[in-house]
Amino acid sequence: MKIVFHTVHDALGIHARPAGQIVKLASKYKSDIKFSTAAKTVDARRIMALMGLGVHEGDQLKVTFEGVDEAAAAAAFSTYLKESL
């Protein structure tokens, strides 16, 4: 299992556009990918669930990866989160 922590810097948090990009990126990997806040954990392949997290600027995210390509998925998400969210 790989874990990535990220503090959200986007003023709008996770809204429709970044949620769609997260789903698109997650669909490239076979690993189970979960996004978590202090209150909830959701599947990264479910756009409505991601938007339902209610993530705002300054919130801490925990992203967990478990599966055959977890290292590659963690690296890709780490880069995406730093550059885009």
Side-chain angles (χ1 to χ4, degrees):
M1 178 188 299
K2 298 282 186 186
I3 299 173
V4 171
F5 292 95
H6 178 72
T7 301
V8 177
H9 299 291
D10 187 319
L12 299 174
I14 295 181
H15 52 92
R17 184 180 314 138
Q21 292 171 337
I22 290 167
V23 169
K24 185 176 179 179
L25 183 58
S27 69
K28 294 180 181 181
Y29 299 97
K30 293 181 181 179
S31 293
D32 187 29
I33 304 168
K34 303 282 186 192
F35 272 63
S36 302
T37 62
K40 251 179 165 176
T41 299
V42 300
D43 186 342
R45 290 178 179 86
R46 299 184 49 126
I47 192 166
M48 296 306 288
L50 286 166
M51 292 184 345
L53 279 174
V55 174
H56 300 288
E57 183 177 24
D59 289 351
Q60 178 80 18
L61 285 174
K62 176 183 174 184
V63 188
T64 58
F65 307 86
E66 193 166 354
V68 296
D69 54 0
E70 64 190 30
F77 269 92
S78 183
T79 300
Y80 168 78
L81 292 171
K82 287 177 188 172
E83 293 175 355
S84 302
L85 195 60

